[in-house]
Amino acid sequence: MSRLRLSVLIAAIFGLLVGGEVHAQDEEEPESRPALDLTVRGVGMGFGHVPVVHGLRFNYRDYEFQRVTGLNFTVWRVFENPPRGTVNGLALGMPATVAGRIRGVGVGIFSVDAAEEAWGGTASILSTVGGGGGITLGGLVATFDDRYTGVGIGGLGSWGTSMRGVMLSGIGAGVDDRMTGITIAGLGAGAGGTMTGILAGGLGAGVGESMRGVQIGGLGAGAMDTVYGVSIGGLGAGASSSYGVIMGGLGAGTGTAAHGVTLGGLGVVSGAMYGVQAGGLGLVAERVRGVQGAGIALVGSRIGGVTAASVVMGEAVTGIAVAPAYFRIIDSDEGNGIIGSGEDTQPRFTGLSASIHNDVRGHQRGISVGIYNYARQLSGVQIGVLNFARNNPIPFRILPLINVNL
């Protein structure tokens, strides 16, 4: 037989099988149940609708079968919806096999469906498992309708309700609820609930609730709740709050607070930051405490620790501030407009500042070093070309080189 004729024959057979399946979906349950039972007390071989077989069972399409221990070979999906019956051993479908439960190995060319649970392994183009555990392989898609423990791999996609183990996919992988383990997808990976372990997506990785572990997104990574661990996004990374490391190629931020290390290629924004934080261009937060730096500007309501940026602006600053271009303590009215703190913060500076222009529009306790130093109320030392202490008596209010009020 020529290759052309063989190809036409294969295509025709496949077309008849597919067509039979489409029509079979509308069929009612069979009136007759043909069966050839060659078993002795259930042990042996059965053909057709033999409900219980310990050995070998062959049927075109199952209906109300109960249990097979050994091999169950079928062609199409079962008549019942939802499927019933248990296969302990090998469930083989050419091209599809379906059962309520598969305990062992389920293999189908087109699809494998264990409606209730599968324990062991399943492999097909489309693999659907209710729950259970083991290894599930889908040439295109692997899905899990309930809790699953083990390994799920889908060529294009893999997803489920909740999972503990490893989930891999070429395009997308995720769970509706909780994921514990490793989830990796070529484009996107996510968990609708909590994620514990490693979550990585070629484009993005996201979590609906909290994330514990390592989260990596080629473009973005984020969590709606708290991140405990490491979150890295090629462009951006964010969370409601974080304890650990958050890094974004362009930006990184949290809605409420970041504890640990926060790095953004261009900018970092957060309600509060505690630890080490750096923004390539800017950093904005209501509260900042620790070691923080920005290429151009760092703005906050309350800033404490070691701060470095071309421009540093805050309402209350404590510690060491290095601002080559401009250092400024903002009064409360200005602060509400610039950083939106909304707090009645007493404008003050306590510590050491170094800048071309130190502009303290509040109370300074400490030392400021610059070309021009200004303090509305000085309780410390100003060192610079020109020093202005507004609360000093008129002869000593503006002095060159040094001004003091102790």
Side-chain angles (χ1 to χ4, degrees):
M1 181 180 293
S2 68
R3 292 185 178 179
L4 177 60
R5 291 181 180 179
L6 180 59
S7 301
V8 172
L9 179 59
I10 294 173
I13 293 173
F14 185 77
L16 289 174
L17 291 175
V18 173
E21 169 65 3
V22 172
H23 290 295
Q25 298 299 326
D26 298 328
E27 291 182 30
E28 297 180 357
E29 62 186 54
E31 296 181 0
S32 63
R33 304 173 189 176
L36 178 59
D37 190 348
L38 301 179
T39 66
V40 178
R41 295 184 179 179
V43 179
M45 183 180 298
F47 296 87
H49 295 292
V50 181
V52 178
V53 174
H54 300 281
L56 306 177
R57 181 177 181 275
F58 302 88
N59 195 9
Y60 169 73
R61 192 178 185 194
D62 285 333
Y63 177 71
E64 290 187 348
F65 93 96
Q66 298 174 17
R67 184 174 66 259
V68 172
T69 302
L71 167 66
N72 187 58
F73 179 90
T74 57
V75 176
W76 281 122
R77 298 176 61 87
V78 299
F79 281 99
E80 301 103 332
N81 188 18
R84 293 181 291 176
T86 300
V87 177
N88 298 310
L90 175 60
L92 182 61
M94 299 294 177
T97 185
V98 179
R101 292 173 294 277
I102 298 176
R103 295 168 181 167
V105 178
V107 178
I109 295 176
F110 181 71
S111 68
V112 172
D113 186 352
E116 295 182 24
E117 63 180 16
W119 293 95
T122 61
S124 183
I125 294 176
L126 304 174
S127 290
T128 302
V129 176
I135 300 175
T136 296
L137 305 177
L140 294 179
V141 176
T143 62
F144 314 93
D145 295 331
D146 205 342
R147 295 182 179 179
Y148 191 81
T149 302
V151 179
I153 300 176
L156 295 181
S158 56
W159 64 84
T161 300
S162 63
M163 187 171 179
R164 182 185 297 270
V166 179
M167 180 179 287
L168 306 175
S169 175
I171 294 181
V175 296
D176 296 332
D177 194 359
R178 178 181 299 176
M179 176 68 196
T180 302
I182 299 173
T183 301
I184 300 175
L187 294 183
T194 60
M195 174 71 199
T196 302
I198 298 174
L199 179 69
L203 293 182
V207 179
E209 295 181 12
S210 63
M211 170 74 202
R212 296 175 182 269
V214 178
Q215 181 184 27
I216 301 173
L219 294 182
M224 296 295 291
D225 203 338
T226 303
V227 171
Y228 302 89
V230 179
S231 181
I232 301 173
L235 294 182
S240 175
S241 60
S242 68
Y243 293 84
V245 179
I246 290 188
M247 299 175 61
L250 293 182
T254 61
T256 55
H259 304 261
V261 179
T262 306
L263 305 175
L266 293 182
V268 175
V269 178
S270 179
M273 298 182 189
Y274 306 96
V276 178
Q277 40 274 331
L281 295 182
L283 188 151
V284 178
E286 185 176 331
R287 288 181 175 86
V288 185
R289 184 178 299 170
V291 178
Q292 49 274 338
I296 294 180
L298 193 153
V299 180
S301 175
R302 298 184 179 184
I303 301 173
V306 179
T307 304
S310 297
V311 175
V312 175
M313 301 174 67
E315 293 184 48
V317 177
T318 302
I320 299 174
V322 179
Y326 186 46
F327 173 73
R328 178 173 175 178
I329 296 297
I330 311 166
D331 65 29
S332 298
D333 292 336
E334 290 176 323
N336 292 339
I338 295 175
I339 61 175
S341 67
E343 295 185 0
D344 186 14
T345 302
Q346 182 67 32
R348 63 184 183 274
F349 165 64
T350 303
L352 170 65
S353 67
S355 177
I356 292 176
H357 182 190
N358 291 291
D359 186 5
V360 180
R361 303 189 180 188
H363 193 172
Q364 174 183 326
R365 294 185 177 92
I367 301 172
S368 61
V369 179
I371 294 177
Y372 174 61
N373 301 306
Y374 170 83
R376 185 174 295 173
Q377 183 178 357
L378 177 64
S379 298
V381 180
Q382 296 174 323
I383 302 173
V385 176
L386 187 63
N387 306 287
F388 187 171
R390 189 172 175 179
N391 62 320
N392 274 355
I394 290 179
F396 306 103
R397 186 168 293 179
I398 302 177
L399 294 175
L401 301 180
I402 190 169
N403 204 343
V404 178
N405 187 320
L406 301 176

